[in-house]
Amino acid sequence: MRRMIAGIGGLALAIVLSQFPEYAQQYTQRLGGAVDELRVITEDFDRAAVAGGLDRTAALERYNASNDGFLAGRGMSMTATFQRYDQLSTTLARIEDAGPIERFQSLPAYLDSDIGQRTLENYQPAVPVTMEGILYAGGGFILGYLVLSGLWRFASLPFRRRRYAAYR
């Protein structure tokens, strides 16, 4: 019975972990799309600033110094856009340079972001046919089997003692 329960646990964790590479791929695609769109906005702003004889910082200062609430608000909005572009670009570069283990260690960061939540909401499971997916599935099976087997043994300890005491 213990082996059957542990096998089921191993299989369940294998299925769950085998999906991580697909989730990471879908997350990376969404992140890349967001970075591409923010790059277009950033480059357009920078071109407009240069055409006006300014750099980005000077153009933002002009927005922020304006007495017009709308223009000052646009300046703050553009500053936030540039910060988000820098943050997402850095995250994308880090993910693209990461190996399978490093990406898995970053899982909490994936789930914590807006992009991670939207990816999870629209996630489409996939069969793990890549070596990475197969390794995650194998690791999940072994881990799940060992954890549930250990829990089963721990939970059955009180019953084993009674059984042994009956033979004395």
Side-chain angles (χ1 to χ4, degrees):
M1 180 63 131
R2 177 186 58 83
R3 288 184 181 177
M4 184 176 77
I5 298 292
I8 291 170
L11 186 60
L13 195 54
I15 291 169
V16 170
L17 284 183
S18 72
Q19 294 304 300
F20 174 72
E22 179 62 23
Y23 173 81
Q25 178 193 20
Q26 291 180 26
Y27 175 85
T28 304
Q29 288 174 342
R30 279 183 173 265
L31 181 61
V35 168
D36 289 344
E37 287 305 310
L38 290 172
R39 181 180 304 117
V40 168
I41 293 168
T42 299
E43 289 173 353
D44 183 56
F45 184 90
D46 289 345
R47 272 193 301 278
V50 168
L54 305 168
D55 63 4
R56 182 188 301 171
T57 304
L60 287 172
E61 286 174 2
R62 185 176 283 184
Y63 269 114
N64 293 331
S66 174
N67 291 330
D68 185 335
F70 173 76
L71 291 179
R74 290 299 303 150
M76 291 187 330
S77 173
M78 290 307 296
T79 299
T81 298
F82 299 143
Q83 289 170 347
R84 181 152 171 84
Y85 171 63
D86 291 340
Q87 175 193 18
L88 294 181
S89 296
T90 301
T91 302
L92 181 61
R94 191 172 57 241
I95 288 171
E96 289 176 337
D97 293 338
I101 302 291
E102 294 165 316
R103 277 197 307 271
F104 187 73
Q105 291 172 337
S106 299
L107 179 62
Y110 292 164
L111 297 174
D112 195 35
S113 68
D114 287 347
I115 293 172
Q117 288 297 321
R118 287 194 309 266
T119 302
L120 198 55
E121 290 168 4
N122 297 301
Y123 175 72
Q124 296 294 317
V127 176
V129 294
T130 63
M131 184 54 71
E132 184 179 355
I134 292 168
L135 290 174
Y136 274 109
F141 180 80
I142 292 168
L143 184 62
Y145 185 92
L146 292 174
V147 167
L148 280 180
S149 180
L151 286 173
W152 183 270
R153 285 183 182 199
F154 180 74
S156 66
L157 278 177
F159 302 110
R160 287 185 182 174
R161 289 183 187 157
R162 283 190 214 151
R163 206 177 333 153
Y164 293 131
Y167 291 113
R168 288 185 187 171

